[in-house]
Amino acid sequence: MEDYFRFYGFQPAFNLDAAAVKARFFELSRKYHPDFFANESPEKQDEVLQLSTLNTNAYKTLSDPARRMAYLLELKGVLAANENYVLPQAFLMDMMEVNEAIMDLQFDPDQQKAGVIRGQVAAIEKEMQEELAALTRQYDETDDGAVQSGLLQAIKDLHYRLKYLVRMQENLAKLN
């Protein structure tokens, strides 16, 4: 796995300065633009094309907070591709009532009830996003590996719970 943080010269972190990421992207775009290497050997052209592609992929990942979070979790070995993560039972029990209400709305549409449920889901998401922001800030501010390890596990759990909420929001959006 390519280390986009290293490629951009950044320390791995959940919170990055968006302007710095953009500036680095443009700097490397100028440096590795394939047109500047048109007269070079095919090997050099291939190398530059790979670096240009790497720059584009790094920017797409590091400039998007959700992508950056998943990428950093994967880079640190905490998140695996196609992982079958089991959400905490307490969370699933809390979500059962909301899911049942969404299913009821599929059979008996009611815009007012749908609005109430959207508000509930938004409130849950806001609470989780605030918790996530606090955890990622703590992670970025500490150098203690043991503390970071525990924080990564908590961030991973929130990552999956937020993905679950996104699916709920998609189901709610289908009700319109």
Side-chain angles (χ1 to χ4, degrees):
M1 168 183 267
E2 295 285 350
D3 187 337
Y4 298 148
F5 293 102
R6 182 178 296 146
F7 181 68
Y8 270 29
F10 297 151
Q11 289 297 314
F14 288 101
N15 301 290
L16 294 176
D17 178 9
V21 173
K22 193 173 198 174
R24 189 68 175 143
F25 169 72
F26 285 126
E27 177 186 337
L28 293 175
S29 291
R30 286 186 295 277
K31 181 176 180 179
Y32 297 125
H33 197 284
D35 289 349
F36 297 142
F37 296 86
N39 295 327
E40 296 289 335
S41 69
E43 294 82 15
K44 183 66 173 178
Q45 289 178 10
D46 286 345
E47 177 189 341
V48 168
L49 184 59
Q50 288 176 359
L51 289 168
S52 178
T53 301
L54 176 61
N55 183 40
T56 299
N57 292 338
Y59 180 72
K60 285 179 183 177
T61 301
L62 297 181
S63 64
D64 179 283
R67 277 185 173 183
R68 183 174 55 241
M69 179 174 53
Y71 172 75
L72 184 52
L73 289 170
E74 193 173 337
L75 189 65
K76 293 295 184 178
V78 177
L79 186 70
N82 301 318
E83 181 176 6
N84 190 16
Y85 186 75
V86 178
L87 289 164
Q89 194 65 33
F91 173 75
L92 293 173
M93 294 302 289
D94 289 344
M95 295 298 104
M96 188 173 7
E97 183 179 318
V98 178
N99 272 320
E100 287 174 359
I102 292 171
M103 285 191 296
D104 288 345
L105 288 170
Q106 290 171 339
F107 296 108
D108 185 18
D110 181 327
Q111 290 301 319
Q112 186 174 356
K113 287 181 185 177
V116 170
I117 294 169
R118 280 187 189 92
Q120 289 174 331
V121 172
I124 294 167
E125 179 186 20
K126 182 178 184 245
E127 185 178 313
M128 279 197 254
Q129 288 288 3
E130 289 170 355
E131 183 180 354
L132 182 62
L135 291 171
T136 58
R137 210 171 19 258
Q138 277 182 276
Y139 177 89
D140 291 349
E141 292 172 357
T142 187
D143 292 331
D144 185 325
V147 171
Q148 284 184 331
S149 180
L151 290 168
L152 286 171
Q153 290 302 319
I155 292 166
K156 174 183 176 177
D157 181 66
L158 278 167
H159 167 73
Y160 277 110
R161 286 194 273 158
L162 284 165
K163 284 178 72 167
Y164 185 92
L165 277 183
V166 166
R167 287 192 301 275
M168 288 177 71
Q169 290 168 329
E170 289 169 353
N171 289 338
L172 277 167
K174 292 176 188 174
L175 297 175
N176 290 338

